[in-house]
Amino acid sequence: MAEVSTAQALNRALRDALAEDPAVVVYGEDVGPLGGVFRVTDGLTAEFGEDRCFDSPLAESGIVGTAVGMAMNGLRPVVELQFDAFALPAFEQVVSHVAKMRNRTRGRVGLPLVIRIPYGGGIGAVEHHGDSSEAYYTHTPGLTVVTPGTPADAYSMLREAIASPDPVVFLEPKRRYWSRAELDLPARTAPMDRAVVRREGSDATLIAYGPMVETALEAAGAAHEEGRSLEVVDLRSLSPFDDATVCASVRRTGRAVVVHEAATFGGYGAEVAARVTEQCFHYLEAPVLRVGGLDIPYPPPKLEHHHLPGVDRILGAVDRLQWEAGWVPDTVPPGVAAPARGSGARA
């Protein structure tokens, strides 16, 4: 075994796909001789030539538009949109063409293409370099949207995405490019449309994905030191959603907190909370809570640590999961009579 970073695992996945399938092509902004801003495509142009891994113009709509044509004509393009917010100029192509082609052609034309998007914060980047846009893509029927939280998943899920007959939006948590694990490559993990339990627990379930998986595990470790057992579920696939794995965990623990970097209002966590509530209502001991980014435009680098969820904010939400039988909310909506506090209620 060797210590492998997420970026190295992605690089190896692209290298192996290029070597095994001549239909695979990799392109985007600075992915050629430079090897990408995060060096995920390092060495691929030198090894496979400029016909297989090459730079594109700085035109995201053109990158995705040409990928549609390539995929319709027998190739398997893997394109990189350099930063999350800079993927938005290509959004019309993604929504109007990538997501709809199979439905529009009554199943006759699939688009086997992968759109790689580095996303999220935690690297001290400036505006337009730290967004979490996953909800835009998951709200679009016709797209598979996945995000790895470990180096092993980075390799396995990217290989599976490239082999898919339909388009995949592959969200890469940029703050975790340098996370490392002991790993033998090539590696195969669970199918990319399945969630996995990263840590077992009995008191509550932390539901996370992408960059927040590692943070959730850190929170679970800290909670263990305080005598509380938290289970951690890594969603991996945002669309489709693995209801079975997630709900099985919540039914075991009776409580859940959803964690993501994106702004909380209208964020992906709202969908998760709704699904869990609908399917686990009679098992829940407390409302499903969400811990997300602040409802503001992405802040300057020196302030992003206030914006991004951390261990303390996650554990703060866990503390609000109505552990005492006599718990009542600290604030009561207007017009609702406040119930009497029991002796075990929080002050």
Side-chain angles (χ1 to χ4, degrees):
M1 279 192 178
E3 193 175 61
V4 179
S5 70
T6 296
Q8 290 170 329
L10 293 167
N11 178 274
R12 174 67 182 274
L14 292 169
R15 176 175 279 106
D16 289 352
L18 285 163
E20 293 176 16
D21 187 351
V24 175
V25 293
V26 175
Y27 67 100
E29 298 165 357
D30 298 322
V31 306
L34 178 65
V37 172
F38 300 102
R39 299 301 184 265
V40 171
T41 55
D42 188 40
L44 299 184
T45 298
E47 184 172 349
F48 296 99
E50 294 185 352
D51 290 338
R52 303 287 307 284
C53 181
F54 53 90
D55 290 333
S56 71
L58 300 180
E60 289 79 9
S61 182
I63 293 171
V64 176
T66 56
V68 171
M70 289 180 177
M72 290 177 68
N73 287 278
L75 295 178
R76 288 183 174 271
V78 182
V79 300
E80 177 180 319
L81 305 182
Q82 195 171 85
F83 283 96
D84 29 50
F86 290 120
L88 298 181
F91 195 64
E92 192 276 332
Q93 290 283 353
V94 174
V95 172
S96 297
H97 303 293
V98 174
K100 292 181 170 63
M101 188 61 68
R102 185 174 288 282
N103 184 70
R104 178 182 293 151
T105 60
R106 298 185 181 181
R108 291 191 295 271
V109 179
L111 293 180
L113 67 90
V114 177
I115 302 172
R116 294 179 43 240
I117 305 175
Y119 83 116
I123 65 168
V126 296
E127 189 181 14
H128 303 308
H129 295 73
D131 282 9
S132 296
S133 308
E134 57 268 27
Y136 298 153
Y137 300 104
T138 59
H139 186 66
T140 305
L143 298 176
T144 293
V145 184
V146 300
T147 178
T150 67
D153 270 353
Y155 178 89
S156 183
M157 292 170 67
L158 184 54
R159 290 300 309 275
E160 191 173 349
I162 294 171
S164 173
D166 291 303
V168 178
V169 175
F170 196 89
L171 299 171
E172 299 173 5
K174 64 172 79 78
R175 70 190 297 188
R176 304 303 182 195
Y177 274 136
W178 303 277
S179 295
R180 294 180 172 273
E182 292 291 330
L183 183 62
D184 279 331
L185 295 177
R188 286 294 182 180
T189 59
M192 69 177 183
D193 62 347
R194 295 286 187 266
V196 298
V197 176
R198 295 289 179 200
R199 178 182 178 126
E200 294 185 350
S202 58
D203 292 337
T205 299
L206 301 181
I207 304 169
Y209 55 87
M212 283 289 104
V213 172
E214 190 170 318
T215 307
L217 288 169
E218 292 172 0
H224 177 74
E225 297 298 320
E226 299 174 356
R228 189 164 280 166
S229 175
L230 302 182
E231 186 150 295
V232 178
V233 175
D234 178 357
L235 291 181
R236 303 170 80 246
S237 175
L238 306 186
S239 181
F241 187 85
D242 183 1
D243 292 281
T245 301
V246 175
C247 291
S249 174
V250 176
R251 287 171 186 144
R252 284 194 301 271
T253 66
R255 294 174 170 87
V257 176
V258 189
V259 186
H260 58 65
E261 286 191 7
T264 306
F265 184 85
Y268 183 77
E271 174 66 23
V272 179
R275 298 178 81 92
V276 170
T277 300
E278 289 170 359
Q279 299 178 59
C280 304
F281 182 79
H282 294 290
Y283 295 84
L284 289 172
E285 301 288 343
V288 180
L289 300 183
R290 293 172 290 156
V291 178
L294 305 179
D295 295 327
I296 59 173
Y298 201 86
K302 291 184 179 180
L303 298 177
E304 70 172 353
H305 65 283
H306 295 294
H307 173 71
L308 298 173
V311 170
D312 287 344
R313 281 172 59 189
I314 294 172
L315 295 183
V318 171
D319 285 342
R320 299 196 305 273
L321 285 172
Q322 302 185 10
W323 297 96
E324 293 87 352
W327 186 95
V328 293
D330 292 329
T331 59
V332 178
V336 178
R341 288 183 178 270
S343 58
R346 290 184 183 272

